[in-house]
Amino acid sequence: MQAQFPQKTLLSLVLSLLLLSAALAMPGCSSSYQMLLSQLQRLANDTEDPRSLAEPYMHHQSLNTTTLRKSCTEHPAAFPSEDALRALSKLDFLHTIDTMLGQVQHRVEALKQQFVRTQNFPQLENAEYKIRGIRNNVYCMSWLLRRSQKTLEPTQTSSRALLSPAPTSDTFQAKLDSCRFLWGYHSFMGSVGRVFSEWGDSLSRSRRHSPRRALHKRAHGFRHSRSSQRPMPRS
Amino acid sequence: MAFSVVLQKAFLLALLSLRAYQNEVFDEPIQLVPEVQNVSTSSKPQQVNLQWTVPNLAHHQELKMMLQIEISRIKTSNVIQVVNYTTTVKWNQVMHWNWKPDIPLECVKYFLRIRGMVDDDKFLLQSSWSNWSSWQEAHIPVSLEPNTVLVFPEDPLVEEGSNITICSVYGRNQHNVSCYLQEKPIPGEQLDSHVSIFNLNNVVFFRDTGTNFFCNSIDTKLEDGIVLFVSKVLEEPKNFSCETQDFKTLNCIWEPGVDTALAWKQQPPQNYTLFESFSGRRKLCNKSSCDWQITDDSQEIYNFTLIAKNYLRTRSVSVSFHLTHRVYLKAPHNVSLEIINTTKAHMTWKVHSRGNDYTLLCQIELLCEKEVIHEHNVSVHMSGDYLFNDLDPDTEYKASVRCADATHFWKWSNWAEKTFSTPEAAPSEALDVWRIVRSKNGSRIVTLFWKPLSKSRANGKILFYNIVAENQDKPAKSKHCSIPAPASDTQLTLDQSSYKLHITANNSVGMSPETILVLSRESGNQEVVEKRINGTKDGFLISWEPRSRDVISYIVDWCAHSQNQLCDLQWKNLGPNTTSTIISSDAFKPGVRYNFRIFEIPVQGPVYLVEKQTGYTQELAPLESPEVLTSNLTSHSFTLSWQGYASQFQAGFIQGYRVYLKSKEMHCHSGWDKVLLSDNSVCCNYDIKDPKQKIFTVENLRPESDYEFSVRSYTSVGENQNATFMMVTTPDEHSHMLLKTMLPMSLCVLLIMVVCYWKSQWVKETCYPDIPNPSKSSILSPIKYMQNPHLTIMNVKDCIPDVLEVINKAEGTKTLYTGAGKLHAENVTKLPPVPTEKDSCGPVPCIFFENFTYDQLAFDSDSHGHVPGPLKDILCQLGPLTPPKNLLNVLGNSNMKSLTGSPTEETSLIYVSQLASPTCGDKDSLTTNLPRPVHCSEYKMQMAVPPSLASPALSKNSDLSSMILLGKGEPG
């Protein structure tokens, strides 16, 4: 365990350096903290709405029946809880968003395979654009925070794959899993928006939490979704 | 050990060979018992695979066998199906047989066994069924937890309209399980305590993402489900055909029908394969077309089979044809046009042909303004040409050509088009010209009208019109003018000479044939009676009596008859033998009068006006009502007139007028009819049948009565409905006499009154001057009442003199001047003014001498300006007069007394002193600065003055006034 911590710190440092260098290398980030924050809030609020993705998905996959809707919405996929997000430092918070949205992006990409034609489900592409936009802004915001802090702070990275759904050949369960995932994503973005709204108007020094505590909180803050463990037939 | 096994096998083989040989030789019945090698199952798709062999076959022996497979469910005794099939078995070959269970293998167990019978012609003797193999179990076991609900089969793929059985398996703790197809509950059939099956018949396509079927336990809220993927039924391709344009490629097309693709990669879109049977070639195609390369030039006949396939079904359609019968040529190329002249063009083109041996049919079309005006077919080999004749100059055309195989027509190629224009030419037709001739101030105003040439006659853009007026009498006086297009009329002023007018239209190339109009000295506009004609909606039938036989033509011109002087003159040329024609025009409107004139164009002489006709295509009721004026109003009659009513411009021929009269008594006199109007009111009606009569006198009226009248014109269709009633009131019978006498009298009286008013003062003074009533004067002593009521005694002390007049008493008579006249300073002794408090001479009472003349004019007259001098002066002046002592006392006391009480309170009369306020000059100052009665009493005493002080030059009025006063005073 003692050996793990410096290793994680080192990894964070490397990642931060990479982010920073990328930020310095790539122009286009607004230097206005206010603008970035408002954009992030707006995007988070936009994506919080299930009508932007989860509801159309339910419609297309015929999950909008009473029972199946309930099954989907009452057991959303596990995303970091709002408390856990609030407990993070600003940089860690941004990093978590980036990580989670990276996974969402992959999942959304995979959802395309569930349709004959993606033209039938244009919300998927819209969601992808928005996720990209949020990630860009998150990236810019972290660049801004780091620049204001002068010194680089190590960020906490996830030590495990947060959302790695077990691939299932069962289409019915895959539908429900995807639905729950999207529902969880909307909920997560709602939490993100609310945490952003608590950020100050000025670019103050980010909150500092014990990395251990934050990590601990995050680990406990995950909501575990209902596992769709389907017994596999013995062959 | 190994050796013994090998030896055993070799023995068996030898035995089998021997038995086979014996069978062939001896035709003995044999029994070959199939031996099940393996039974395997698969979940997706649900399938049982039976592998079996016939162990007793001789080496390399093949024989045809009939197999029978028996299938039981749940238990071996429950046989649900027996399948027979025939196959050829070989030595040492494992045979396969697949079977699709109706209930998923996860839910129930199946048992299979097989037996066989030789069914081969090589065996003469009839064989019999072998023994059954042993029962083989087919089942997919699942791990079932007590709280689990599972649904099978997993993601089944079925075709729309088919049936499927779904089963659910649930653990021992699950008792209350409900299953749904989307939202619809599906009743199940209990197979055993933990298995239910659900039969879905005739399933329908819901969505390409599948239809959800799921079961949940009410107890534990757990659910499991499957997605039922229902594929649309694959359709047979329609309108499958192939053709070639270049003999190198065959292009095959078809209509694919519905897409059967399903989401979740359950089924891709159906694929299409093209198979040609002669060549044996196969090609995977697009959804609706395929290009087939012709590799073998010698192959002329093709037999194509188009195969459509998805996971569930295969469809195919075939077509067979000769290559040359499916030639769809490419559009002709190198199309060119050579303009030969204004009416001819030559077109050439080339075709994509296999050579001169092939004859092609080409279709040529010539279009003008998007309309096909010419169509022609020609046969060509490698190239073609065509000459277009009879083209119009200055016209744009589009020439098109397309070709097809002439021998085996399949379809036309696409059009190849070329647009071209013919050049301009001189106008080909003379202008149609007509004229109106009017005389004015000894000249002739000739208005020429012409109809623009049609496009086909103009042969180009008309630039101007040339008009040459050739004076026949004086050629030197000919006129020429050029009118730029697009004018269609012009006006010429010509003298009374004979003229020949030459009119031509000109374009860039040349001029049209000229039109000649002859204007003779005689106008030819003879006075002819206008005839009325009846038109119809189709026009007017105009007929006339020919005047002479030497006629070149007739011209009928017409114009709408309107108050607007501008006339859109129209005309029609007619042949010399014509005596009638129908004039029709889209411009004819109902309710509009059209005037027609028929002219004769003689061989010699002037144009002759044959007839005038006028009429309507459809008469309407008049739109305008007459504007009626009333006159000559008497107690018994009045006159109506509507002279300004333009009856010739109405919507029909006016046939007369109807006069409507309303009155209270509603008695209609002779000649009047009682009619009911549209508003249900009753009135009298008089019909004036002469349309020229525009005046009417309404008679037999009652004096002092109200009448309402209305005049309405009418045509053959009806009368004007817009007319309104006007009111007229007949006067009193004598009113006009009274009017004649009373009016001047009233004026005279009024004049007199004005004059009197103006001279009212004078009149008053002259006619009835105010006479004071002495009995009402306070001056009179009250003792008169005590002693003799009829006796009035004047108390002198109460008299306050205001003016002292010195009367020249040369003749011994007393003359007193009143304040009404003016006194001149040199004649009248000036007296001091009424003293004010300031100017008062202490306690000395004011003593004045006055006469008794007073009136209102005293206020207004300038006499007030003759302000007497100060009181003390008066007193000083009075001094030498020395009045009697007692009189002075009386005066003094009287004056003092008058200061204590206002005399005006005692009498209604206002006695105005002739002595005005010192400051009086106008009424205002009179009001505000009026001397207070404290100092001045209204009653003034008249005194006699020496004659030497009297004015010698008193005015006549003054004298008169004085005389009157004196006369009044005489009785005292």
Side-chain angles (χ1 to χ4, degrees), chain B residues 8-167:
Chain B
Q8 189 181 359
K9 283 191 175 178
F11 174 76
L12 281 172
L13 281 170
L15 179 66
L16 188 61
S17 303
L18 179 64
R19 286 179 65 98
Y21 173 77
Q22 284 175 342
N23 285 340
E24 285 179 9
V25 174
F26 302 106
D27 293 333
E28 290 179 359
I30 56 168
Q31 280 203 340
L32 295 173
V33 182
E35 186 178 300
V36 177
Q37 297 291 316
N38 185 31
V39 174
S40 62
T41 55
S42 74
S43 177
K44 190 178 177 183
Q46 287 276 318
Q47 192 167 278
V48 176
N49 181 254
L50 181 67
Q51 296 176 34
W52 53 273
T53 60
V54 180
N56 298 334
L57 282 179
H59 187 62
H60 296 301
Q61 186 182 15
E62 282 187 17
L63 80 159
K64 202 174 172 184
M65 285 188 71
M66 183 180 287
L67 283 307
Q68 190 172 60
I69 300 167
E70 205 170 60
I71 305 160
S72 299
R73 189 163 62 201
I74 301 173
K75 53 187 180 184
T76 54
S77 59
N78 182 27
V79 176
I80 59 168
Q81 193 174 0
V82 177
V83 180
N84 292 319
Y85 81 107
T86 305
T87 186
T88 303
V89 296
K90 293 177 184 174
W91 172 80
N92 204 21
Q93 185 187 31
V94 177
M95 308 300 289
H96 293 263
W97 179 79
N98 291 325
W99 176 70
K100 190 178 176 183
D102 51 353
I103 297 174
L105 292 162
E106 291 87 347
C107 297
V108 292
K109 286 181 181 174
Y110 292 94
F111 300 94
L112 300 94
R113 63 178 182 177
I114 188 171
R115 64 178 179 178
M117 181 171 66
V118 176
D119 184 24
D120 203 314
D121 295 338
K122 288 182 282 188
F123 294 91
L124 299 175
L125 294 178
Q126 190 178 4
S127 62
S128 62
W129 286 109
S130 68
N131 293 328
W132 287 104
S133 67
S134 61
W135 285 104
Q136 301 292 322
E137 185 180 307
H139 178 55
I140 301 175
V142 291
S143 168
L144 193 62
E145 299 295 326
N147 291 325
T148 310
V149 178
L150 298 175
V151 182
F152 297 101
E154 189 179 320
D155 302 340
L157 172 64
V158 294
E159 202 170 55
E160 189 173 25
S162 61
N163 304 328
I164 185 173
T165 301
I166 296 170
C167 67

Side-chain angles (χ1 to χ4, degrees), chain B residues 3 20 47 95 112 119 132 153 161 185 234 310 324 351 378 464-465 508 518 569 588 663 672 707 922:
Chain B
F3 175 75
Q47 192 167 278
M95 308 300 289
L112 300 94
D119 184 24
W132 287 104
L234 179 65
N310 65 7
T324 55
V351 291
V378 293
F464 57 93
Y465 298 93
S508 63
V518 176
L569 185 74
F588 287 154
S663 65
W672 293 77
Y707 291 93
D922 53 61

Side-chain angles (χ1 to χ4, degrees), chain B residues 744-794:
Chain B
M745 286 178 69
S746 301
L747 286 172
C748 289
V749 168
L750 189 67
L751 188 66
I752 290 165
M753 285 175 71
V754 169
V755 170
C756 288
Y757 180 75
W758 185 39
K759 293 289 183 183
S760 59
Q761 189 59 42
W762 177 83
V763 170
K764 186 179 177 185
E765 286 179 1
T766 306
C767 299
Y768 51 96
D770 287 338
I771 300 166
N773 188 355
S775 64
K776 290 181 180 176
S777 173
S778 63
I779 296 172
L780 300 177
S781 173
I783 56 173
K784 62 185 179 184
Y785 302 105
M786 291 181 277
Q787 292 174 357
N788 185 1
H790 303 287
L791 179 65
T792 301
I793 297 171
M794 183 177 174

